[in-house]
Structure formats: structure tokens, C-alpha cells
Amino acid sequence: MNVELLIFVFIYLIGTLAIGAWAGTRVKNTEDFAVAGHTLPLYMVITTSFATWFGAETVMGIPAKFVEGGLKGIIEDPFGASMCLVFVGLFFAVRLYRMKLLTIGDFFRRRYGVPVEILCSVMIILSYLGWVAAQVTALGLVFTILSGGAISHETGMVVGTVLVLIYVMMGGMLAVAWTDFIQMIVLVLGLSYIAWYSADLVGGAPKVIQYAQDRDWFRILPEPNLLDWLLFLAAAITMMLGSIPQQDVFQRVMSAKDEKSAKYGAVIGGLCYLVFAFVPMFVVVAALIKMPEHSQELLKSDPQKVLPRMILDHMPFFAQILFFGALVSAIKSCSSATLLAPSTSFVENILRHINPNLRDKQLLLAMRITILVFTSLVLTYAILTKGTPIYDLVSNAYQITLAGAFVPLTAGLYWKRATTQGAICSIAFGIGAWFLVAFAEVLQIPGMADINPKLSPLVALVFAITGMISGSYAPQFIRNRCHILMEHLGLSPVYSHSDHAG
């Protein structure tokens, strides 16, 4: 057991509670708690946007996938994830910021009405189970590794989650933003030093790059056939587009003090994430060179442990402190906002309709209670799905929002003809198609068993777009046809009040 290192990690985790307590003194209302009162400067929007994706999967999940399938195996994350932030900054941030919304669900209510708001909010909340579970799983793994197995994976999950939960409940988005700022500094400095030290251990960075190149790991495009390209596109759009209508992305961007900070903070944060996500991959390749036999054993049993073992077995104590400080920073910065986001969505977009008479202080209390309840659910889910790779937990999380929420959001912002009927049809078509393809084999649906379930995000997007267009045009098309028919029969069309209003 590495007692000194374990103590350091606990001190670091407890230290963030002080930030949460300080941020809690500045939280006066739900706006402060949910979007930091729209006060964050550009540099903090950059760090908190960067922290959106830099979590457990970036440090341990992505490198494990990289050594299994090269760059084409990680098109979803970091490539898709980083482009999500870039697209949010370029095409969504300014338009949404000007609306002064508290949640992404508020947009759906304003544009389409309460039913669409509730449907999309439920999808968004459910999508966070896998994402937060990945961070909780990683926290448990850290404590298990550092304690040499003395702390079980489940106990580590509980301890780490409770410490994150406390400061999020106290300070909300203000606590998240300030801890993100500090933790991203620790992360960048720590992993940069680790990468430099790893290169020095194996004879220089060119040797590491050559090792990966010899194994064709830098190949990013799929094989030149239709199925492989469709699978490639399906993986790319899952986080690239499916993460756009997410509350945690929305909160981080909308916390900016002005629309320029919202726009450029997301773009710069996304590009920084893409660049820096290669650092853990570099270190893992160096580990394969430094400890080939041990690495091969870990690749067969649990590839996510290659990087931590490299640090513990071949680096000095100072480097170990930097690495696990950076790792805990990544996990905490990612999990904190993703605990806050679904809880905010539930209170603002569902509970408000159940009890519309709640005052602001009551809503603030409800947000904190909901965070506690949601965290308990996530912790239970993480324990039940223990053994599922971190990367898979994350990548599966956003298929439901791609299928049901992305098209209504985009059409609502950019297509004036988008209607409530179109949004409902888009959700029904998208979710229905996703479910049928993703679970065709399990459900034993005749004629669909041979469809690759990994195509479900792409199929869902096509059907969601079809639903939006057909649902928006169908009522008008039917009215026009009825009008023509009635004129042909010599009858005068009768309009209802709602027809004139529309």
C-alpha cells in the first residue's frame, strides 16, 4: 500500500471542500447555483469547458482504446467530443446566451412547449447515468490501486463520490468553475511533466512516436467499404452531436459573463482538449516500451491499469503525486458538473411543473436535495455495472440525446418552420429507431437481427431529421389539401381559432 500517496490524494480531495464552502457563501439564488450568475471571465470559461470532457476516460479510457485500435478506435472521443465544444461555440453559444436561459430544457419549453421540454429533460437526465458512473468507477479504481487492494473498488467509489458530492451541494456551478480552474492547472502541469519524464525513460519522444507508427496506430480513416464508413460516422457523431444538447455543456458556456466569452471559451476549450488528450496516449505507448511483458498482461486483463502501473512502478514519488493529482483533478472536474447538470434540469424543467408555487429559495434547496438523490442512483448504477470499460460507459451515454434532443434543438434555432408537432415526431422517430437498432438482437426482432447495433446513432439521426421535417410540414400539407378539396366541392373552409393563431 502506498500510504503517503493515498494520504496526499485524500488531502487533495478534502482541500476542494474548502473551495466549495467558499463558493457556497456566494450562492444567493438558483441562477448563482446553476450558471454561476453569468459572471465567469473568458479564461475560466476556457478551463471549465476544457474540463467538460477531460475526465477518467481521457486519462485511462482513451489510451486503452488507442493501443487496441489506433486513432480510428477513438474517433468518438477525443475527436468527436472536442468538435462538440467547437460546434457549440460557433453555432449555438451566442444564440442561446442571448435568451438568458437557466437550463437547456428552458429552450425546449420556449420554442415547442411544456411536453417537449419534459421529454427532452428526461432524456438528458437519463443520459448522465453512464457518464457520471464512468467517473465514479475511476475514483474507485484510483483508491484500489493506491491501497494495493486494501480499499475495495466499491468502497473507493463511495468515498470519492461523497467528497465530490459535498462541495457540489455547497457551491453549485460557482464551486465547479473555481475547482475546474485550479484542477486544470494541476492537470496540465502534472501530465506534461509525466509525458516528459516518460519520454526520457524510453530514450526520447521520437522512439515513442515511431513505436506507434510501426503498429499503424496513427491511421484514422476506416477501411474503404460502406459498412466501415457508416460505423465510423456513427461513432463520430455520438459525442460530436449528441453532447450538444447536454445540460453540463450548456451550464459551462452559459456561465460566461458575456456572449463573446461564451463563444470563444467553448471553441478554445474544445481545441485545447483535443491537443492535450494525446498526452495520456503518449505516456501509455511509452509504458508499452518500458515494461512490455507487464503491459501485455494488463492489456489482456484491464488495459485501464497500464498507465497507473507505469507511474507507480517506474517513476519517482514526486511524479506519482503529480500524476494522481492530475488524475483526481480530471475525475473531479468532470464528475462535479455532471452531478449538478441533471439535478438542475430536474428541478427547473420537471419539478416546477409539479409544484409551480415554489419560491427561489425552495428551488435552491430542491436542487441540492436532487443532487443527493441523483448521486445515490449513479453510485448504485456504477457498482452494478462494475467491470464495464470506462470508455464504453461514456460513449453509450449520449446516444439517447443524439436520437431525441439534438435535432429539435438545432431545428428550433435555425429553422423557422420547425413546429411542436415536428419536435414530437423527431423525438418519437429518433428514439424509436435507436431503440430498435440498438436492441434488435436482444429483442429478436424479425429481419433486424443482422443490423450492427453500433449503427444505431446514425440511423436514429436520420429518422429524427425525417420526423422533424414530416411532422412540421404534415399539418400544413393536410390543411392545404383539405382546403383544395373543399373548394373543389364548392364548400367554404371552416377555420378554428387555433388555425388563425397559427
Side-chain angles (χ1 to χ4, degrees):
M1 180 188 296
N2 200 325
V3 178
E4 295 86 356
L5 195 53
L6 192 58
I7 291 173
F8 167 79
V9 171
F10 271 114
I11 292 173
Y12 182 79
L13 283 167
I14 294 171
T16 57
L17 299 183
I19 300 174
W22 170 79
T25 62
R26 301 182 62 184
V27 173
K28 307 300 181 186
N29 51 48
T30 52
E31 189 175 80
D32 290 340
F33 193 81
V35 290
H38 301 291
T39 59
L40 300 186
L42 176 61
Y43 65 89
M44 290 191 73
V45 179
I46 293 173
T47 54
T48 198
S49 297
F50 175 65
T52 303
W53 301 133
F54 213 106
E57 78 292 344
T58 314
V59 180
M60 295 189 292
I62 290 176
K65 281 286 184 180
F66 175 70
V67 298
E68 289 176 2
L71 290 181
K72 64 180 180 181
I74 56 170
I75 188 64
E76 193 168 336
D77 189 8
F79 293 100
S82 62
M83 287 302 102
C84 164
L85 289 175
V86 173
F87 289 163
V88 166
L90 293 178
F91 304 112
F92 295 87
V94 173
R95 289 173 180 253
L96 291 173
Y97 190 90
R98 289 173 180 171
M99 298 177 73
K100 296 299 180 185
L101 307 169
L102 195 63
T103 68
I104 193 71
D106 292 347
F107 169 81
F108 293 113
R109 182 180 67 250
R110 288 194 193 180
R111 186 65 174 82
Y112 301 114
V114 173
V116 176
E117 170 196 13
I118 294 175
L119 281 173
C120 289
S121 297
V122 169
M123 286 187 291
I124 290 168
I125 291 168
L126 290 175
S127 72
Y128 280 104
L129 279 173
W131 178 264
V132 188
Q135 314 310 315
V136 172
T137 299
L139 278 172
L141 185 61
V142 168
F143 286 117
T144 300
I145 291 173
L146 290 180
S147 66
I151 298 176
S152 69
H153 199 167
E154 291 82 358
T155 302
M157 288 181 185
V158 174
V159 172
T161 303
V162 168
L163 291 173
V164 174
L165 171 66
I166 292 172
Y167 85 80
V168 175
M169 286 183 64
M170 288 190 294
M173 191 61 204
L174 276 171
V176 170
W178 276 102
T179 51
D180 280 353
F181 178 67
I182 295 169
Q183 288 170 168
M184 288 307 100
I185 294 173
V186 174
L187 188 149
V188 169
L189 293 178
L191 285 183
S192 296
Y193 175 80
I194 295 296
W196 172 82
Y197 196 93
S198 299
D200 190 58
L201 277 177
V202 298
K207 188 174 180 179
V208 178
I209 295 171
Q210 187 62 48
Y211 185 92
Q213 191 171 357
D214 290 343
R215 285 152 183 79
D216 202 26
W217 287 346
F218 292 138
R219 182 177 180 179
I220 190 169
L221 296 179
E223 298 297 327
N225 62 71
L226 180 60
L227 178 59
D228 283 349
W229 269 100
L230 290 176
L231 290 170
F232 179 81
L233 290 174
I237 63 173
T238 298
M239 289 187 73
M240 185 186 300
L241 304 182
S243 301
I244 289 176
Q246 283 293 346
Q247 177 62 18
D248 64 319
V249 175
F250 173 86
Q251 280 179 276
R252 293 174 190 265
V253 175
M254 294 306 111
S255 297
K257 67 177 183 178
D258 53 51
E259 60 187 49
K260 285 188 176 180
S261 298
K263 176 180 179 179
Y264 293 110
V267 172
I268 297 171
L271 294 175
C272 288
Y273 173 71
L274 178 60
V275 171
F276 211 72
F278 282 89
V279 175
M281 288 186 260
F282 178 89
V283 179
V284 165
V285 176
L288 298 179
I289 300 172
K290 180 65 179 177
M291 48 180 204
E293 294 182 1
H294 195 182
S295 295
Q296 291 302 322
E297 292 176 6
L298 291 174
L299 286 176
K300 292 178 181 178
S301 59
D302 189 352
Q304 296 165 157
K305 292 183 179 179
V306 173
L307 185 53
R309 284 264 57 98
M310 167 74 165
I311 305 300
L312 288 173
D313 294 345
H314 298 280
M315 293 196 179
F317 185 67
F318 176 69
Q320 294 173 16
I321 290 177
L322 286 178
F323 171 76
F324 284 99
L327 177 57
V328 171
S329 294
I331 296 169
K332 288 175 74 278
S333 63
C334 206
S335 58
S336 57
T338 45
L339 286 176
L340 177 65
S343 307
T344 306
S345 291
F346 173 79
V347 172
E348 179 68 15
N349 303 116
I350 297 177
L351 184 62
R352 267 185 181 273
H353 299 297
I354 298 173
N355 189 348
N357 298 319
L358 290 174
R359 298 189 302 275
D360 193 77
K361 286 188 177 180
Q362 292 173 316
L363 288 170
L364 184 58
L365 176 61
M367 285 183 183
R368 286 176 165 141
I369 294 173
T370 306
I371 290 172
L372 177 61
V373 174
F374 183 77
T375 303
S376 301
L377 292 174
V378 167
L379 184 58
T380 303
Y381 178 74
I383 292 173
L384 291 175
T385 57
K386 192 185 74 169
T388 303
I390 292 171
Y391 191 94
D392 292 345
L393 282 171
V394 170
S395 61
N396 293 336
Y398 293 117
Q399 292 185 12
I400 189 169
T401 45
L402 171 66
F406 170 72
V407 172
L409 172 64
T410 307
L413 286 173
Y414 284 97
W415 191 38
K416 292 182 180 180
R417 291 182 178 271
T419 66
T420 300
Q421 295 93 335
I424 292 174
C425 287
S426 178
I427 294 169
F429 284 26
I431 293 295
W434 169 76
F435 183 81
L436 289 176
V437 175
F439 299 98
E441 187 175 348
V442 177
L443 299 173
Q444 296 183 341
I445 300 173
M448 295 186 65
D450 294 333
I451 299 177
N452 193 320
K454 293 182 180 180
L455 290 173
S456 58
L458 187 59
V459 174
L461 180 62
V462 172
F463 272 80
I465 293 171
T466 303
M468 173 58 73
I469 295 172
S470 59
S472 296
Y473 274 121
Q476 181 182 351
F477 177 81
I478 293 171
R479 283 198 300 268
N480 290 341
R481 290 298 173 184
C482 288
H483 182 87
I484 293 171
L485 178 62
M486 294 179 75
E487 283 187 341
H488 181 73
L489 295 173
L491 301 174
S492 299
V494 179
Y495 294 100
S496 67
H497 174 74
S498 60
D499 289 329
H500 288 294

mmCIF file of all heavy atoms in Angstrom, residues 425-449:
data_model
loop_
_atom_site.group_PDB
_atom_site.id
_atom_site.type_symbol
_atom_site.label_atom_id
_atom_site.label_comp_id
_atom_site.label_asym_id
_atom_site.label_seq_id
_atom_site.Cartn_x
_atom_site.Cartn_y
_atom_site.Cartn_z
ATOM 1 N N CYS A 425 -42.520 14.438 -33.251
ATOM 2 C CA CYS A 425 -42.254 13.378 -34.232
ATOM 3 C C CYS A 425 -40.763 13.056 -34.298
ATOM 4 O O CYS A 425 -40.369 11.884 -34.418
ATOM 5 C CB CYS A 425 -42.755 13.797 -35.615
ATOM 6 S SG CYS A 425 -44.542 13.773 -35.794
ATOM 7 N N SER A 426 -39.926 14.074 -34.225
ATOM 8 C CA SER A 426 -38.481 13.862 -34.256
ATOM 9 C C SER A 426 -38.036 13.009 -33.074
ATOM 10 O O SER A 426 -37.238 12.076 -33.224
ATOM 11 C CB SER A 426 -37.756 15.214 -34.238
ATOM 12 O OG SER A 426 -36.357 15.032 -34.216
ATOM 13 N N ILE A 427 -38.550 13.336 -31.892
ATOM 14 C CA ILE A 427 -38.203 12.563 -30.692
ATOM 15 C C ILE A 427 -38.687 11.127 -30.825
ATOM 16 O O ILE A 427 -37.946 10.169 -30.559
ATOM 17 C CB ILE A 427 -38.812 13.223 -29.436
ATOM 18 C CG1 ILE A 427 -38.169 14.593 -29.193
ATOM 19 C CG2 ILE A 427 -38.630 12.331 -28.214
ATOM 20 C CD1 ILE A 427 -38.881 15.429 -28.153
ATOM 21 N N ALA A 428 -39.936 10.953 -31.263
ATOM 22 C CA ALA A 428 -40.514 9.607 -31.386
ATOM 23 C C ALA A 428 -39.785 8.783 -32.436
ATOM 24 O O ALA A 428 -39.430 7.611 -32.193
ATOM 25 C CB ALA A 428 -41.999 9.721 -31.738
ATOM 26 N N PHE A 429 -39.550 9.379 -33.606
ATOM 27 C CA PHE A 429 -38.848 8.654 -34.670
ATOM 28 C C PHE A 429 -37.413 8.319 -34.262
ATOM 29 O O PHE A 429 -36.932 7.207 -34.477
ATOM 30 C CB PHE A 429 -38.833 9.489 -35.958
ATOM 31 C CG PHE A 429 -40.133 9.518 -36.707
ATOM 32 C CD1 PHE A 429 -41.347 9.314 -36.075
ATOM 33 C CD2 PHE A 429 -40.154 9.768 -38.068
ATOM 34 C CE1 PHE A 429 -42.543 9.357 -36.752
ATOM 35 C CE2 PHE A 429 -41.345 9.808 -38.781
ATOM 36 C CZ PHE A 429 -42.550 9.606 -38.115
ATOM 37 N N GLY A 430 -36.707 9.312 -33.714
ATOM 38 C CA GLY A 430 -35.299 9.125 -33.359
ATOM 39 C C GLY A 430 -35.103 8.094 -32.271
ATOM 40 O O GLY A 430 -34.288 7.165 -32.411
ATOM 41 N N ILE A 431 -35.849 8.232 -31.175
ATOM 42 C CA ILE A 431 -35.721 7.291 -30.055
ATOM 43 C C ILE A 431 -36.195 5.900 -30.482
ATOM 44 O O ILE A 431 -35.579 4.878 -30.139
ATOM 45 C CB ILE A 431 -36.525 7.780 -28.837
ATOM 46 C CG1 ILE A 431 -35.895 9.069 -28.268
ATOM 47 C CG2 ILE A 431 -36.591 6.706 -27.764
ATOM 48 C CD1 ILE A 431 -34.521 8.884 -27.693
ATOM 49 N N GLY A 432 -37.290 5.850 -31.239
ATOM 50 C CA GLY A 432 -37.801 4.558 -31.695
ATOM 51 C C GLY A 432 -36.803 3.823 -32.559
ATOM 52 O O GLY A 432 -36.555 2.617 -32.370
ATOM 53 N N ALA A 433 -36.204 4.539 -33.527
ATOM 54 C CA ALA A 433 -35.223 3.912 -34.420
ATOM 55 C C ALA A 433 -33.986 3.479 -33.652
ATOM 56 O O ALA A 433 -33.447 2.376 -33.880
ATOM 57 C CB ALA A 433 -34.845 4.888 -35.533
ATOM 58 N N TRP A 434 -33.522 4.336 -32.750
ATOM 59 C CA TRP A 434 -32.342 3.995 -31.935
ATOM 60 C C TRP A 434 -32.597 2.736 -31.112
ATOM 61 O O TRP A 434 -31.769 1.818 -31.077
ATOM 62 C CB TRP A 434 -31.990 5.156 -31.013
ATOM 63 C CG TRP A 434 -30.975 4.792 -29.967
ATOM 64 C CD1 TRP A 434 -29.634 4.638 -30.139
ATOM 65 C CD2 TRP A 434 -31.240 4.506 -28.582
ATOM 66 N NE1 TRP A 434 -29.038 4.280 -28.947
ATOM 67 C CE2 TRP A 434 -29.996 4.187 -27.982
ATOM 68 C CE3 TRP A 434 -32.388 4.495 -27.802
ATOM 69 C CZ2 TRP A 434 -29.896 3.868 -26.633
ATOM 70 C CZ3 TRP A 434 -32.288 4.172 -26.453
ATOM 71 C CH2 TRP A 434 -31.053 3.848 -25.883
ATOM 72 N N PHE A 435 -33.749 2.671 -30.470
ATOM 73 C CA PHE A 435 -34.060 1.530 -29.608
ATOM 74 C C PHE A 435 -34.146 0.237 -30.415
ATOM 75 O O PHE A 435 -33.605 -0.801 -30.012
ATOM 76 C CB PHE A 435 -35.384 1.792 -28.881
ATOM 77 C CG PHE A 435 -35.767 0.707 -27.918
ATOM 78 C CD1 PHE A 435 -35.212 0.660 -26.655
ATOM 79 C CD2 PHE A 435 -36.672 -0.284 -28.281
ATOM 80 C CE1 PHE A 435 -35.557 -0.346 -25.754
ATOM 81 C CE2 PHE A 435 -37.023 -1.298 -27.405
ATOM 82 C CZ PHE A 435 -36.459 -1.323 -26.130
ATOM 83 N N LEU A 436 -34.802 0.293 -31.561
ATOM 84 C CA LEU A 436 -34.987 -0.910 -32.362
ATOM 85 C C LEU A 436 -33.657 -1.453 -32.887
ATOM 86 O O LEU A 436 -33.431 -2.673 -32.894
ATOM 87 C CB LEU A 436 -35.929 -0.623 -33.535
ATOM 88 C CG LEU A 436 -37.406 -0.414 -33.177
ATOM 89 C CD1 LEU A 436 -38.200 -0.045 -34.418
ATOM 90 C CD2 LEU A 436 -37.996 -1.661 -32.514
ATOM 91 N N VAL A 437 -32.777 -0.550 -33.336
ATOM 92 C CA VAL A 437 -31.491 -0.996 -33.876
ATOM 93 C C VAL A 437 -30.542 -1.428 -32.757
ATOM 94 O O VAL A 437 -29.877 -2.463 -32.853
ATOM 95 C CB VAL A 437 -30.845 0.116 -34.731
ATOM 96 C CG1 VAL A 437 -29.455 -0.307 -35.200
ATOM 97 C CG2 VAL A 437 -31.728 0.447 -35.931
ATOM 98 N N ALA A 438 -30.491 -0.637 -31.682
ATOM 99 C CA ALA A 438 -29.554 -0.932 -30.589
ATOM 100 C C ALA A 438 -29.895 -2.243 -29.888
ATOM 101 O O ALA A 438 -29.003 -2.959 -29.426
ATOM 102 C CB ALA A 438 -29.544 0.219 -29.589
ATOM 103 N N PHE A 439 -31.191 -2.561 -29.816
ATOM 104 C CA PHE A 439 -31.604 -3.747 -29.063
ATOM 105 C C PHE A 439 -32.281 -4.800 -29.949
ATOM 106 O O PHE A 439 -33.015 -5.646 -29.443
ATOM 107 C CB PHE A 439 -32.550 -3.335 -27.928
ATOM 108 C CG PHE A 439 -31.919 -2.399 -26.938
ATOM 109 C CD1 PHE A 439 -32.137 -1.031 -27.024
ATOM 110 C CD2 PHE A 439 -31.089 -2.878 -25.947
ATOM 111 C CE1 PHE A 439 -31.558 -0.163 -26.112
ATOM 112 C CE2 PHE A 439 -30.495 -2.019 -25.030
ATOM 113 C CZ PHE A 439 -30.727 -0.656 -25.119
ATOM 114 N N ALA A 440 -32.031 -4.738 -31.250
ATOM 115 C CA ALA A 440 -32.654 -5.688 -32.179
ATOM 116 C C ALA A 440 -32.297 -7.126 -31.846
ATOM 117 O O ALA A 440 -33.145 -8.025 -31.876
ATOM 118 C CB ALA A 440 -32.249 -5.358 -33.616
ATOM 119 N N GLU A 441 -31.033 -7.350 -31.516
ATOM 120 C CA GLU A 441 -30.586 -8.707 -31.221
ATOM 121 C C GLU A 441 -31.195 -9.214 -29.922
ATOM 122 O O GLU A 441 -31.623 -10.372 -29.828
ATOM 123 C CB GLU A 441 -29.050 -8.737 -31.123
ATOM 124 C CG GLU A 441 -28.488 -10.140 -30.976
ATOM 125 C CD GLU A 441 -26.964 -10.155 -30.998
ATOM 126 O OE1 GLU A 441 -26.364 -9.108 -31.349
ATOM 127 O OE2 GLU A 441 -26.394 -11.200 -30.672
ATOM 128 N N VAL A 442 -31.262 -8.331 -28.920
ATOM 129 C CA VAL A 442 -31.831 -8.726 -27.629
ATOM 130 C C VAL A 442 -33.321 -8.999 -27.762
ATOM 131 O O VAL A 442 -33.857 -9.968 -27.203
ATOM 132 C CB VAL A 442 -31.590 -7.620 -26.576
ATOM 133 C CG1 VAL A 442 -32.250 -7.984 -25.251
ATOM 134 C CG2 VAL A 442 -30.100 -7.399 -26.378
ATOM 135 N N LEU A 443 -34.019 -8.122 -28.520
ATOM 136 C CA LEU A 443 -35.462 -8.256 -28.679
ATOM 137 C C LEU A 443 -35.843 -9.306 -29.717
ATOM 138 O O LEU A 443 -37.025 -9.648 -29.837
ATOM 139 C CB LEU A 443 -36.062 -6.904 -29.083
ATOM 140 C CG LEU A 443 -35.878 -5.759 -28.077
ATOM 141 C CD1 LEU A 443 -36.361 -4.456 -28.682
ATOM 142 C CD2 LEU A 443 -36.635 -6.060 -26.786
ATOM 143 N N GLN A 444 -34.832 -9.776 -30.472
ATOM 144 C CA GLN A 444 -35.057 -10.777 -31.525
ATOM 145 C C GLN A 444 -36.130 -10.305 -32.513
ATOM 146 O O GLN A 444 -37.094 -11.027 -32.809
ATOM 147 C CB GLN A 444 -35.435 -12.116 -30.910
ATOM 148 C CG GLN A 444 -34.328 -12.727 -30.063
ATOM 149 C CD GLN A 444 -34.690 -14.091 -29.519
ATOM 150 O OE1 GLN A 444 -35.856 -14.464 -29.453
ATOM 151 N NE2 GLN A 444 -33.677 -14.854 -29.110
ATOM 152 N N ILE A 445 -35.939 -9.091 -33.020
ATOM 153 C CA ILE A 445 -36.879 -8.522 -33.975
ATOM 154 C C ILE A 445 -36.637 -9.160 -35.338
ATOM 155 O O ILE A 445 -35.520 -9.137 -35.855
ATOM 156 C CB ILE A 445 -36.696 -6.997 -34.063
ATOM 157 C CG1 ILE A 445 -36.941 -6.366 -32.686
ATOM 158 C CG2 ILE A 445 -37.651 -6.384 -35.090
ATOM 159 C CD1 ILE A 445 -36.628 -4.887 -32.632
ATOM 160 N N PRO A 446 -37.673 -9.728 -35.954
ATOM 161 C CA PRO A 446 -37.504 -10.402 -37.264
ATOM 162 C C PRO A 446 -36.957 -9.443 -38.326
ATOM 163 O O PRO A 446 -37.424 -8.314 -38.460
ATOM 164 C CB PRO A 446 -38.937 -10.844 -37.612
ATOM 165 C CG PRO A 446 -39.643 -10.927 -36.303
ATOM 166 C CD PRO A 446 -39.052 -9.842 -35.450
ATOM 167 N N GLY A 447 -35.949 -9.882 -39.045
ATOM 168 C CA GLY A 447 -35.389 -9.095 -40.132
ATOM 169 C C GLY A 447 -34.386 -8.042 -39.712
ATOM 170 O O GLY A 447 -33.795 -7.381 -40.564
ATOM 171 N N MET A 448 -34.180 -7.874 -38.404
ATOM 172 C CA MET A 448 -33.269 -6.828 -37.936
ATOM 173 C C MET A 448 -32.081 -7.384 -37.156
ATOM 174 O O MET A 448 -31.229 -6.624 -36.714
ATOM 175 C CB MET A 448 -34.014 -5.811 -37.066
ATOM 176 C CG MET A 448 -35.078 -5.024 -37.803
ATOM 177 S SD MET A 448 -35.805 -3.722 -36.778
ATOM 178 C CE MET A 448 -34.385 -2.641 -36.509
ATOM 179 N N ALA A 449 -32.049 -8.675 -36.984
ATOM 180 C CA ALA A 449 -31.003 -9.278 -36.159
ATOM 181 C C ALA A 449 -29.608 -9.078 -36.743
ATOM 182 O O ALA A 449 -28.614 -9.076 -36.017
ATOM 183 C CB ALA A 449 -31.277 -10.763 -35.968
#
